[in-house]
Every structure is written in C-alpha cells, then in structure tokens.
Amino acid sequence: MESSVTRNPNRRTACDRCYELKERCERATTASHCARCERLGLGCLAVRPVRRVGRRTHPEKDFSSRMTSGKGRKLEPYQLGIDACLSSLGALPDLSPEEKERLLSLLSQPESLDHSVVSSSFQAEQQHSLATQLLAAPSFLKDAYLACAITLRQLQSGSGTNMDMDMSTCVGYITKAMTALRSLSVVRSQDSVLCHTLGSVLAFSIYLAIGVGVPDICRYCLGTTNPFVGTTMADEHQDPWLSFLVLLETMDCLVYRRKPTPTIQIPALVVDRRLGLCLPLLPYYHDLCVISNSLLHTTDVSILARLQKQLDVIHTVVESWQPSHSDQLVEQFESADIVNLLAQAKVYRLGALLVGHRLRFPFGCEDVQAEIWSKEAMMELEMAKRVTKRSLRFVALPFIVAAVEVRDRSLRFETLQRVDDYVDHYAPFLRKATKIFLSRVWHERDLNLTSRWFDSIHKPCPVMDSIDTTCFSG
C-alpha cells in the first residue's frame, strides 16, 4: 500500500513542471521524482520560490506585468501529442544518449522556441507541431532537429567554452539534414509540409551557425513544392513553416532584385506564428519584388508605364490596409501580444509603402514622404518595446527598409544600435551585415553614389555563396 504524503503548508509538493502545466504531480515524497517526469525522462525539480499561504496583494503591479495576465494559448490542448512524441524518442534508431537529451530539450521546453515565433503565445503550438512532425518522419527530420537544438541552446546561453565544439557538431548535423532534404521526394501535399518543415528548421539553424546559404534552401523547397502547394496558402496549422520560407525568400529577392518563386493568396483571417497579422501583406511584397526585377531588366516605355500603374495600385491598396478582425484578438491573446501584433502589422505596411515609394522615386526625390514613413515605423517599434518591455520579432525586413531613409547623423547612430533589437536574434550574421550595409548605403547616398538602396553594391543579406552548391544542383 502506497504511503500517503503529508502536506506541509510551508513546503511545495508539486514539481515545477507539473505546477506550471497545472498537472497532478504524483510522487511518494518531495525528494523523489514524480510519475510524469519519470515516465518522460525529464528532470524533476522544485526550485521555484515558496509563496506565503493566503491571499497575496499586489499594490504596485506595473503595466508590463498586468499585460501578461489573462488569456493566451495554453500548453494543455497540445500536451497529448507532445507526450506521445517524447515517449517515442527512445524508439528512434541510432540515437545516442546525448542526442536524446538534445531532442528532449528542444521538444519539452516551449520557452526554448521563443525566438522562432513572433510571441510567446505561439510557443505551445510550435512545440506541438515540431513534436508531431518528428514522430511522423523521424528519419528525415532528426538531424535538422538536432542542429536546431544546438543552435537554440547557444542562443539562450551565449558564447561558452564548448561553443566551437557544439557548432562543429551542429554543422555536421546540418550537412546530413541537407542530404535528407535533397533526397526527399515530393509527390503529394503531405510531402510539401514535410519539405517546408525540414527546410525551415534547416534555415533557422544555418542562420545562427553559418550565416550563408539560406536563400538557396528557400528557393529549393518552394520550387520543389510549388506544384503541390497551389496559389492559396494552406491552413497555418497544416503547413506552419510555409510563410517562414516565403518571408526569407521575399527578403532576399527584394534586396537582390530577383523574382520570387511562388505567388500565394492569403486567407483574410490568419494570425501567423511569425508574421502575425501582417501575413496578408506578403503578396504585395511579392509583387513589389516582381516589379523591381522587371524595372531592372527593361527600358521599354510602354512596359515601364504599365509597371508604374501597378505601383500606383499597390500603393493605394496598402495605404488603406488594416489588419482584419483585430477586435477578436482579445479573445485569443495576452494584451502584450496584441500590442506587438498590431505594431508588427503597422511596420510591415509602412515598409511596403517605402519599398513602392523608392521604386517610383530615387533618393533626392520625394524624400520628405519617405522620411515621414520611416520615422513612423521607427516610432512604432520603439513604442511597442516600451509598452511590452521586449523588442518586436520578425521585423528585420521593414526595419531595414525604414532605416535606410534616416538622414540625421545622430539618429543614424541610434539606428545602428537598434539593429540588435529588430534584426532577429537567431541571425547574428545578418545583424552584423545589416550594420555594415546601413553605414555604407548612407555613405553612398550622402555622396550621391546611388539612387536607390537596393541598387547599392552592399547588401544586408550575408549570402554570397551556398553552403554546399552541389547539394542543390541538378
């Protein structure tokens, strides 16, 4: 007969993990592992601060702490699928104990995925989709997930004594994952989802570990799956990584004036894990890339006139654009997340206006309007940061577009400091390259050496060659 646990009001009896998940914590004594953590092979700790018994008063809650209370997308609805995956990790072939520990760390801690989503409200969904997809195709995803686990750990801990060794191991996993991506045969829509997941997790890891080759992966994945994806983006839960690949390729095509691979139509009511409410603006960025590429390669007067009319139409639509059903966000998200989602939508709208503006007008022409939009975007970013106490994520594209319009020298210095806030933390190479790009394009503009920022020879994306060109040839 099991011994009962005597509850001491001054001693916690639930472990930290069960406490956070509001799960029943079953263990014989407070010194032993609970049944749930034992079953999942997780560390069972109780190190959270002890709180006094009785009603607790909060006389001086600041605004940011009040904003984190209330609703939010919880872990519980996804727990069953996550637990099934974690329980099955031991059955995966050819996994060392260290590799199992890395996968457990990636899939059992939603907070480790914080940098891969626009807000913490999406951590649980991201964790669930990663876990269930690994369970469905472990042989294709295993190495990409292991690389991702290493890069996320480095991102959380910063540089350390084992960083070089871990990054060397990570590159090894990336190489094997790229081989898996190249061998994946896409013959149905389900294969497209797997290809997007594998390519996106690879891109995320490569941005942090290496810094080059990401657009090659994006183009390969989107080109391979384009016949099966169609022109309408699938439900975000069915294909959660497609928008990430499209965003990365769109940014690269905008910078290098290339034509993007897919053209997609976005459902009206979508809150994306990375682009939030501004996902419907992505097709307009796509059209701007196509127009930019066409302007680069034509001198025909009639074609130029047609392209200018297209720019006028895009300007009219984007200028009046507002996120759909924003009033319904209160039912799904915390207040801080709503502030960030709305701010992200505003800066992407302003970014699209600025791109279209510079396609129509070179530096020195209509600069006042460009400067107004630039200041508005920067102010929106800073206001959201002050209110929510954290920087917006996945706003590198509109931030760079707005930053090139800064004319004041003191503001330029502040803008370079803000690069670390608004160019994503998972892309340190991109942050460094962005600072170099901004400094040089400002210099070129001041000396009248360039008429448009995307005509500068100094590009913000650190992509000069592929990681492994042979992997994507043929």
Side-chain angles (χ1 to χ4, degrees):
M1 183 176 181
E2 292 184 359
S3 60
S4 61
V5 177
T6 302
R7 294 186 178 272
N8 185 331
N10 293 320
R11 178 178 296 177
R12 65 183 70 84
T13 56
C15 73
D16 293 343
R17 191 176 297 276
C18 291
Y19 176 83
E20 290 293 331
L21 297 176
K22 295 181 174 60
E23 294 281 348
R24 181 179 178 84
C25 188
E26 300 176 347
R27 51 181 177 171
T29 69
T30 56
S32 61
H33 279 55
C34 74
R36 184 173 177 280
C37 290
E38 187 75 29
R39 173 170 56 86
L40 297 177
L42 303 175
C44 189
L45 301 173
V47 296
R48 66 186 183 277
V50 178
R51 298 194 298 183
R52 290 182 300 172
V53 177
R55 180 175 294 180
R56 291 172 289 278
T57 60
H58 304 277
E60 295 182 353
K61 269 192 173 182
D62 62 16
F63 182 67
S64 63
S65 64
R66 290 198 305 271
M67 295 185 76
T68 59
S69 62
K71 307 172 187 65
R73 301 183 171 202
K74 304 300 182 182
L75 181 60
E76 286 87 343
Y78 307 101
Q79 193 63 51
L80 187 61
I82 295 170
D83 286 350
C85 178
L86 296 177
S87 300
S88 302
L89 283 180
L92 294 181
D94 303 323
L95 274 183
S96 68
E98 186 178 18
E99 289 175 332
K100 291 179 182 178
E101 188 274 331
R102 283 172 174 156
L103 290 178
L104 278 172
S105 175
L106 174 67
L107 300 174
S108 65
Q109 301 175 23
E111 61 275 9
S112 69
L113 303 171
D114 200 39
H115 290 287
S116 67
V117 289
V118 68
S119 77
S120 56
S121 296
F122 290 102
Q123 288 177 1
E125 291 179 38
Q126 183 81 328
Q127 180 191 15
H128 178 262
S129 64
L130 285 173
T132 53
Q133 286 165 337
L134 176 63
L135 196 61
S139 60
F140 283 103
L141 295 175
K142 178 188 69 174
D143 292 310
Y145 278 35
L146 287 168
C148 186
I150 292 174
T151 55
L152 285 174
R153 180 174 294 182
Q154 293 293 346
L155 192 62
Q156 290 176 314
S157 62
S159 58
T161 55
N162 295 323
M163 185 172 182
D164 291 340
M165 182 186 304
D166 286 343
M167 282 299 129
S168 177
T169 304
C170 178
V171 171
Y173 287 131
I174 287 173
T175 302
K176 289 190 287 186
M178 288 176 66
T179 301
L181 176 62
R182 191 68 178 88
S183 66
L184 177 61
S185 177
V186 178
V187 296
R188 53 181 182 169
S189 59
Q190 292 92 327
D191 299 331
S192 299
V193 177
L194 176 58
C195 184
H196 296 156
T197 301
L198 177 53
S200 296
V201 176
L202 256 175
F204 190 86
S205 303
I206 289 169
Y207 251 140
L208 184 62
I210 303 172
V212 297
V214 171
D216 297 289
I217 292 175
C218 295
R219 278 190 291 273
Y220 177 83
C221 292
L222 295 172
T224 301
T225 63
N226 198 41
F228 302 95
V229 172
T231 59
T232 302
M233 182 170 286
D235 184 272
E236 204 256 354
H237 295 282
Q238 298 175 8
D239 198 353
W241 286 102
L242 174 58
S243 63
F244 183 59
L245 290 172
V246 174
L247 173 63
L248 293 181
E249 194 205 27
T250 300
M251 181 172 178
D252 182 72
C253 289
L254 186 62
V255 170
Y256 288 94
R257 308 193 73 171
R258 296 177 180 139
K259 186 177 179 180
T261 304
T263 175
I264 54 175
Q265 298 299 319
I266 310 295
L269 183 55
V270 172
V271 184
D272 187 70
R273 295 179 194 177
R274 280 152 285 273
L275 282 173
L277 298 168
C278 51
L279 188 61
L281 288 173
L282 205 53
Y284 297 108
Y285 276 95
H286 173 277
D287 292 344
L288 289 169
C289 290
V290 174
I291 293 172
S292 177
N293 177 264
S294 299
L295 288 171
L296 185 65
H297 294 99
T298 187
T299 56
D300 187 284
V301 176
S302 61
I303 295 178
L304 291 174
R306 176 171 54 82
L307 294 174
Q308 290 298 324
K309 288 182 180 180
Q310 292 177 6
L311 287 172
D312 292 340
V313 171
I314 292 174
H315 172 85
T316 301
V317 174
V318 173
E319 189 176 37
S320 61
W321 179 85
Q322 294 292 332
S324 301
H325 306 287
S326 57
D327 56 314
Q328 299 179 14
L329 297 177
V330 178
E331 302 173 3
Q332 304 177 52
F333 296 94
E334 308 286 357
S335 299
D337 292 333
I338 295 174
V339 170
N340 282 334
L341 289 170
L342 291 174
Q344 185 192 36
K346 290 178 182 177
V347 296
Y348 266 92
R349 170 185 164 272
L350 292 166
L353 289 173
L354 280 168
V355 172
H357 187 78
R358 279 305 170 212
L359 286 172
R360 295 195 296 173
F361 306 107
F363 290 146
C365 186
E366 300 292 336
D367 286 349
V368 173
Q369 181 60 71
E371 197 167 356
I372 290 173
W373 285 330
S374 171
K375 288 181 178 178
E376 189 177 346
M378 293 299 185
M379 182 168 40
E380 196 68 45
L381 292 170
E382 287 298 297
M383 285 180 62
K385 181 182 177 183
R386 290 194 192 106
V387 171
T388 64
K389 308 303 181 187
R390 74 170 181 84
S391 303
L392 276 176
R393 298 177 190 141
F394 294 95
V395 290
L397 173 54
F399 170 78
I400 293 172
V401 171
V404 296
E405 301 295 342
V406 176
R407 303 293 301 277
D408 184 86
R409 292 188 181 276
S410 61
L411 290 179
R412 285 177 175 178
F413 178 75
E414 293 179 10
T415 302
L416 288 179
Q417 292 180 312
R418 292 174 181 171
V419 168
D420 290 334
D421 290 328
Y422 301 118
V423 176
D424 296 290
H425 287 196
Y426 67 80
F429 292 93
L430 182 56
R431 293 206 306 272
K432 181 179 179 181
T434 298
K435 293 177 182 178
I436 296 172
F437 163 75
L438 289 175
S439 299
R440 291 178 175 174
V441 78
W442 287 333
H443 177 71
E444 291 176 5
R445 181 177 183 178
D446 292 343
L447 296 178
N448 295 320
L449 297 177
T450 185
S451 59
R452 292 175 173 86
W453 65 265
F454 35 77
D455 288 332
S456 172
I457 61 171
H458 304 288
K459 305 296 186 179
C461 293
V463 183
M464 305 308 293
D465 53 82
S466 304
I467 303 170
D468 184 356
T469 312
T470 60
C471 206
F472 295 97
S473 61

